[in-house]
Amino acid sequence: MTLLRSLVICVGLLILPACQRQSALAPAGEEAERVALLSWILFAGAAVIFAIVLAALWLAIAGPEQLRSRLRAEGAIRFWGIAFPTLTLATLLGYGLWLMRETIASPRPAEMRVEVTGEQFWWRIAYDGRAGKPVAEANEIRIPVGVEVEFVLRTADVIHSFWVPSLGGKLDMIPGRTNRMRLKAQRAGIYRGQCAEYCGTAHAQMSLEIVAMPQPEFDAWLAAAERPPGPDGTVVERGAALFHSSGCDACHAVRGTQAAGTIGPDLSRIGGRRFLAAATLPNTAENIARFIAEPAAVKPGSLMPPFAIFSGEERQALAAYLASLK
Ligand code: CUA
């Protein structure tokens, strides 16, 4: 049984990199290409060393006496046991740092900037708005294709780690520090990312998506995101009234309304996002209603309290309102 389980895990690990939307081996950016190149060099080097070890093992067991005595000589042990690993690892470290040079310490000013703050267990996003005011978002980052974007990485609580494998390597978000990372998407697409540092109960459910789109589309999207969303229709209006009268706005903000809470994610565009709850739940009105009723059942560790006080119909109105915010 244990053997079977180990086998399933090993096969799973082999299959996982084939998952195209979140794979370091499916690069869609310059930084990710460097990481992928380094990975293949490591795989190839490890394969060659493994073959050498197997050959030496076979010689040590069944080889001619002359070779066996050479293998156990002190010189051979010093070379293969100390000199070879030291030299190989030092070379790889130097090469790895050289590959990373552009990503972390580039003197050039970045073409665009996005602030990302890790929170238990979601991502707070802020773009530089055209009007000079930041545009708040959450869990879904939009960037233009072919533009070098500087991600300004911070945390509001514990250590998180920002990692979108198809676009680049990972970088920790450390309390009291601001880390910077540059990524450039070479083609349009949706790239999934994941918090890569254990940060508490819902760490595994702290995902995000980067949507890379052509520059004109991105400009139109950002301009639309800057405008306050306008609710329409009666169910939606009822939901909006409930949202403001029930205290939702103490924690959440919706641009252009009295809701200006900053504890939870900004909801100004929640209806336009592909996923809910840090890219873990498809964005449907039904799922919004489910999350409102019992956040912790959907996402263990969520800091939002359950809102079982709402009737089913009230939850649907709230969900309709939120889904209308695009
Ligand atoms: Cu945030 Cu793990």
Side-chain angles (χ1 to χ4, degrees):
M1 212 41 214
T2 322
L3 184 71
L4 185 70
R5 206 176 298 152
S6 314
L7 205 67
V8 168
I9 292 172
C10 288
V11 170
L13 285 176
L14 284 174
I15 291 172
L16 270 181
C19 166
Q20 292 293 301
R21 289 184 52 228
Q22 185 174 312
S23 170
L25 300 180
E30 286 170 12
E31 156 73 355
E33 270 173 6
R34 292 193 284 268
V35 174
L37 175 68
L38 188 61
S39 305
W40 288 118
I41 290 172
L42 287 175
F43 282 139
V48 170
I49 291 171
F50 185 61
I52 293 174
V53 169
L54 280 188
L57 187 68
W58 182 80
L59 283 178
I61 294 170
E65 175 50 34
Q66 196 197 356
L67 274 178
R68 288 166 66 188
S69 66
R70 265 211 227 165
L71 266 181
R72 63 174 176 262
E74 204 177 311
I77 293 169
R78 281 214 187 110
F79 177 76
W80 291 105
I82 301 172
F84 180 75
T86 309
L87 199 74
T88 310
L89 293 177
T91 308
L92 280 172
L93 176 67
Y95 180 59
L97 290 174
W98 180 76
L99 279 181
M100 275 164 58
R101 71 200 183 283
E102 286 277 307
T103 317
I104 291 170
S106 176
R108 284 173 290 119
E111 293 169 71
M112 192 189 132
R113 213 173 61 110
V114 179
E115 289 187 29
V116 186
T117 307
E119 308 212 6
Q120 285 171 317
F121 301 94
W122 60 284
W123 311 87
R124 186 187 294 274
I125 319 284
Y127 302 86
D128 293 331
R130 304 283 190 250
K133 273 210 254 160
V135 178
E137 252 288 16
N139 302 322
E140 188 181 281
I141 304 173
R142 305 229 170 196
I143 58 170
V145 172
V147 169
E148 190 177 59
V149 181
E150 182 178 70
F151 289 87
V152 181
L153 306 174
R154 296 191 189 95
T155 172
D157 35 56
V158 298
I159 301 179
H160 302 272
S161 186
F162 180 79
W163 190 32
V164 183
S166 290
L167 295 182
K170 63 180 89 154
L171 194 60
D172 279 2
M173 304 161 122
I174 298 165
R177 281 194 62 155
T178 299
N179 281 340
R180 286 162 203 277
M181 172 192 242
R182 290 176 182 220
L183 299 176
K184 188 200 269 187
Q186 284 162 326
R187 44 179 194 275
I190 297 168
Y191 307 105
R192 196 179 164 85
Q194 170 65 38
C195 178
E197 179 68 42
Y198 182 73
C199 52
T201 319
H203 154 72
Q205 285 146 308
M206 189 169 165
S207 304
L208 78 154
E209 279 190 332
I210 292 191
V211 181
M213 52 215 290
Q215 182 83 55
E217 270 177 48
F218 173 80
D219 290 339
W221 173 84
L222 187 61
E226 273 179 286
R227 283 194 294 275
D232 54 350
T234 48
V235 188
V236 170
E237 265 164 35
R238 180 160 150 63
L242 268 172
F243 186 86
H244 298 295
S245 63
S246 311
C248 305
D249 50 9
C251 294
H252 296 285
V254 177
R255 266 188 291 290
T257 73
Q258 71 203 52
T262 55
I263 296 169
D266 186 290
L267 301 179
S268 307
R269 272 199 64 259
I270 186 174
R273 287 178 209 147
R274 290 167 26 85
F275 284 89
L276 300 170
T280 55
L281 202 62
N283 190 358
T284 62
E286 203 176 296
N287 280 340
I288 295 180
R290 218 177 110 207
F291 192 88
I292 293 170
E294 252 191 305
V298 178
K299 187 165 179 181
S302 167
L303 295 184
M304 177 163 148
F307 281 87
I309 48 160
F310 294 126
S311 68
E313 185 223 337
E314 284 173 329
R315 254 181 282 145
Q316 271 164 19
L318 272 168
Y321 166 60
L322 293 172
S324 78
L325 302 177
K326 290 181 184 171

